[in-house]
Amino acid sequence: MNLSSGSLERAIPRPSAPIRLSRVATIIVFLLPATLAYLGLVLFPIVQGIYYSFFRWNGLGPAENFIGLDNYVRAFSDRVFLSALGHNLLIVALSLLLQLPLALGLALLVRSMVRGRTLFRTIFFLPFVLSEVITGVIWSFIYRPQGGLITWLFQQLAPNAQPPALLADPDTVLYALFVVITWKYFGYHMILYIAGLQNIPAELEEAAQIDGAGRWQVLRYVTIPLLGTTIRLTIYLSVLGAIQLFDLVWVMTGGGPVNASDTMATYLYKFGFQRFQLGYGSAVAVIMFLICFVFSLVYQRYALRRDFE
Amino acid sequence: MAPAYAPELRPTRRWVIPTLQYVLAAGMALIVLIPLITTVFNGFKSNAEVLLDPFGLPTSWHPENYTTILRSASFWQQLSNSTLVMLATAAGVLVISSMAAFVFARMPFRGREVLFNVFMVGLLFPVTVAILPLYITLRHLRLIDSLWGVILPQIAFGLASNILILRGFFASIPRELEEAAAIDGCGPINFFVRILLPLTRPALAAVVVLTMVASWNNFFLPLLVLNSESLYTLPLGIMQFQGQFGTEWNRVLAFVTLALVPTIIFYLFAERHIITGLVAGALKG
């Protein structure tokens, strides 16, 4: 890049000082708004959050009660927080084991279609653009114990049995939420897989077929390995998304019944904004960040590194 | 093209597998669409009928569920708040990210990579993690209970990913073009405005459309920042409406339908851009 700007100055025989100055001015003016917004509203609050996490503080007045790591100790000795963390991990596991394979299957299905692939792709991707609130309200209706769609279906199949109240039962609520999460987000991963599949040269799969490989063998030994980059990426995005889960849970259950569907983010919201424990809430946020950060580092080091040199 | 071997297997296989594929795809399409379609129709029912038969078509149509909402001032207020926040966020993101991405892609200076990486650290920080101190910062700036308190953080938190996407597209424009423009007396700003931006219009469209979708759907930030009902955006309005009319599902679902329609129309028009943006953002991040 320096070479070509050098050739530019050689091409135009004119004093280089004014050019430099106007370049510097351009650089400063062009970077200023982004830098100000980013420093003021992203980096500064995050650094502040780390600072607050060492205080017992209700958010009013200056933070004065320095308590060191007590907030962190408190979080890790609070069963509700630990169970919220466990709920996030369960959603991570379900997403990786069920949602991503479903998305991959549908991407392969859409790809192999001669007709209608655009239509199906458009339909499958549609829930991703709907808001979490709309999705949450629609599915709250579907799960309604009296007269909801699930209840209705259940009554058609087993008219005499008591229909389940999926969102009100601590044993089923997370799975019921996971169905909604899958409904809303599988299309996103599917789109990434479709994009990844388009980058695989058709000759490679054809060559394997000519060598006598069946459908499954081509899929197992050619297509999926070649899709590795995309698969590793969707795993990454899926894990980070599941750790920050808030909107859908808040709209549908508020973390209930009795904290059975709390996630770290709903827990953070309850303590930070409803009970005004900003110091403690900040410690929860820092823990969430550290989990994301450590996961990112480890995952990028060991899984993504081969994809981006 | 003629089957070279095992001809007795081919004729059946040739239609069995595609048919199965279409059955599977159609089944999945129904799972996606049925919740949405029933929402629209339940909005036309009486509440009693919604509870008795959530699955069927309305036996008597009640368009007044919709018209009452359409006549209420608060619905239009929320629609216009959402629109305003969306347009301001998209404009801000477009202008600010493209300017920064231009420098990061094409104007080398000492320390540029360091600064760029500082921005990219932002990819690791979702709003959720920064929300408590961000709230306090906004309170200091007197932006709580103001639409700007939603717009500005949305712009700031959108910067990292959008700068990344745009830098990639800006860098792909050949050097020679810039040099040719320079020989014709075109400075960097002119090159940016007159040549680079028009040439990368698909990328800009992707950034704008993605930002619009995210802003339109945003819930967490407006939930914290906006207290006055007159400032509510649509997602907040839906939550409030459901709280108020929770037992009258016909009206709640009519409200949801009215909020759903603009999104779906927008999606059908902008699908291509949304997908371009998502794929570019994901694969480069």
Side-chain angles (χ1 to χ4, degrees):
Chain A
M1 293 208 177
N2 283 323
L3 268 179
S4 37
S5 74
S7 70
L8 183 148
E9 277 159 35
R10 255 180 282 122
I12 316 162
R14 156 173 81 167
S16 60
I19 298 177
R20 285 250 170 77
L21 203 68
S22 83
R23 274 183 79 89
V24 170
T26 312
I27 289 171
I28 292 174
V29 170
F30 272 40
L31 282 182
L32 203 60
T35 310
L36 280 181
Y38 181 73
L39 290 183
L41 294 171
V42 181
L43 272 195
F44 174 69
I46 282 164
V47 174
Q48 241 190 344
I50 297 170
Y51 173 75
Y52 292 145
S53 72
F54 300 118
F55 290 84
R56 179 179 293 120
W57 186 47
N58 63 5
L60 300 168
E64 275 170 348
N65 289 314
F66 182 84
I67 52 169
L69 291 172
D70 278 12
N71 283 326
Y72 293 90
V73 175
R74 178 179 160 199
F76 281 110
S77 46
D78 180 6
R79 279 179 147 188
V80 177
F81 174 75
L82 291 176
S83 77
L85 171 61
H87 300 155
N88 283 110
L89 296 180
L90 178 71
I91 299 291
V92 168
L94 291 172
S95 301
L96 300 188
L97 295 174
L98 297 172
Q99 188 186 355
L100 295 188
L102 173 76
L104 177 59
L106 289 169
L108 292 165
L109 191 66
V110 167
R111 178 180 74 151
S112 68
M113 286 179 157
V114 184
R115 266 181 219 176
R117 65 167 87 182
T118 319
L119 177 69
F120 281 115
R121 194 189 64 187
T122 304
I123 294 173
F124 294 162
F125 187 64
L126 173 63
F128 181 74
V129 296
L130 302 181
S131 81
E132 273 82 358
V133 174
I134 286 184
T135 308
V137 172
I138 290 177
W139 278 89
S140 298
F141 174 74
I142 290 174
Y143 281 136
R144 244 178 73 89
Q146 288 89 34
L149 268 178
I150 300 289
T151 306
W152 185 88
L153 282 173
F154 190 84
Q155 282 166 340
Q156 308 303 310
L157 297 171
N160 299 319
Q162 174 72 27
L166 295 172
L167 289 179
D169 182 342
D171 293 330
T172 55
V173 62
L174 280 174
Y175 300 96
L177 285 171
F178 175 72
V179 169
V180 186
I181 293 167
T182 304
W183 185 84
K184 176 146 171 51
Y185 296 109
F186 81 90
Y188 173 57
H189 299 291
M190 184 197 72
I191 286 293
L192 295 183
Y193 290 136
I194 290 175
L197 287 169
Q198 280 168 353
N199 292 331
I200 297 177
E203 300 85 56
L204 290 173
E205 289 169 316
E206 281 162 15
Q209 263 172 335
I210 290 167
D211 289 347
R215 273 168 193 278
W216 286 110
Q217 285 172 314
V218 173
L219 188 66
R220 169 72 187 80
Y221 295 105
V222 182
T223 314
I224 290 184
L226 286 173
L227 203 57
T229 310
T230 316
I231 292 174
R232 285 188 286 277
L233 179 79
T234 56
I235 291 173
Y236 181 68
L237 297 171
S238 191
V239 170
L240 290 186
I243 287 175
Q244 292 148 20
L245 185 64
F246 174 80
D247 293 8
L248 270 176
V249 179
W250 194 250
V251 172
M252 294 186 68
T253 66
V258 225
N259 303 320
S261 65
D262 259 327
T263 63
M264 287 189 284
T266 64
Y267 185 86
L268 163 88
Y269 181 79
K270 285 177 185 174
F271 280 90
F273 292 100
Q274 294 187 326
R275 303 189 196 174
F276 301 106
Q277 300 184 12
L278 257 81
Y280 183 54
S282 297
V284 172
V286 173
I287 294 169
M288 274 175 72
F289 168 69
L290 285 177
I291 294 172
C292 294
F293 186 70
V294 169
F295 168 74
S296 292
L297 280 187
V298 171
Y299 195 78
Q300 290 187 355
R301 179 90 172 74
Y302 292 101
L304 293 181
R305 194 175 56 158
R306 60 181 120 167
D307 303 327
F308 306 94
E309 327 96 316
Chain B
M1 288 298 156
Y5 50 88
E8 70 281 7
L9 271 177
R10 290 282 153 163
T12 40
R13 275 197 164 181
R14 214 171 251 167
W15 64 268
V16 167
I17 289 175
T19 309
L20 261 175
Q21 286 176 335
Y22 280 102
V23 169
L24 268 175
M28 196 62 205
L30 282 180
I31 292 175
V32 167
L33 291 177
I34 282 175
L36 303 176
I37 295 169
T38 50
T39 300
V40 177
F41 283 117
N42 280 323
F44 281 106
K45 292 177 185 172
S46 71
N47 199 37
E49 198 184 354
V50 170
L51 302 186
L52 280 175
D53 181 16
F55 215 53
L57 284 173
T59 49
S60 63
W61 293 75
H62 294 266
E64 70 271 15
N65 296 336
Y66 287 100
T67 51
T68 325
I69 297 163
L70 287 174
R71 272 201 299 270
S72 78
S74 60
F75 174 76
W76 293 103
Q77 179 79 64
Q78 289 155 15
L79 196 72
S80 77
N81 289 340
S82 275
T83 309
L84 185 75
V85 169
M86 173 182 82
L87 293 178
T89 305
V93 162
L94 180 66
V95 172
I96 297 178
S97 315
S98 64
M99 280 162 58
F102 173 63
V103 174
F104 285 128
R106 313 199 69 102
M107 303 196 73
F109 63 91
R110 212 174 295 125
R112 187 178 74 162
E113 292 313 303
V114 175
L115 187 61
F116 179 71
N117 285 325
V118 170
F119 271 94
M120 290 309 108
V121 172
L123 289 172
L124 286 173
F125 298 114
V127 186
T128 323
V129 164
I131 200 84
L132 287 164
L134 176 65
Y135 180 84
I136 294 162
T137 307
L138 293 174
R139 204 170 62 190
H140 282 305
L141 297 171
R142 299 183 182 280
L143 288 174
I144 295 298
D145 209 22
S146 141
L147 292 180
W148 287 106
V150 177
I151 295 166
L152 294 177
Q154 280 185 174
I155 294 174
F157 278 87
L159 285 175
S161 59
N162 291 315
I163 288 177
L164 184 71
I165 297 177
L166 290 178
R167 187 183 81 137
F169 282 100
F170 288 174
S172 69
I173 301 295
R175 256 288 139 193
E176 292 75 31
L177 209 61
E178 191 172 352
E179 285 168 10
I183 290 167
D184 292 341
C186 180
I189 297 181
N190 264 327
F191 171 73
F192 174 62
V193 175
R194 297 208 186 152
I195 299 171
L196 198 65
L197 291 184
L199 279 178
T200 49
R201 207 176 292 155
L204 300 174
V207 161
V208 165
V209 163
L210 267 188
T211 307
M212 285 169 124
V213 172
S215 167
W216 188 259
N217 292 339
N218 196 355
F219 173 61
F220 202 9
L221 196 62
L223 175 72
L224 293 172
V225 172
L226 306 174
N227 303 320
S228 313
E229 283 178 24
S230 63
L231 295 177
Y232 276 12
T233 54
L234 268 176
L236 292 182
I238 294 169
M239 281 298 276
Q240 187 200 30
F241 197 85
Q242 200 206 10
Q244 213 173 341
F245 299 100
T247 50
E248 295 175 54
W249 276 103
N250 56 342
R251 298 184 63 181
V252 172
L253 295 176
F255 197 111
V256 166
T257 304
L258 289 175
L260 203 63
V261 168
T263 317
I264 291 181
I265 292 174
F266 184 75
Y267 167 60
L268 293 178
F269 277 104
E271 187 200 4
R272 199 166 45 88
H273 300 300
I274 297 175
I275 289 174
T276 318
L278 280 182
V279 170
L283 297 185
K284 285 176 181 159

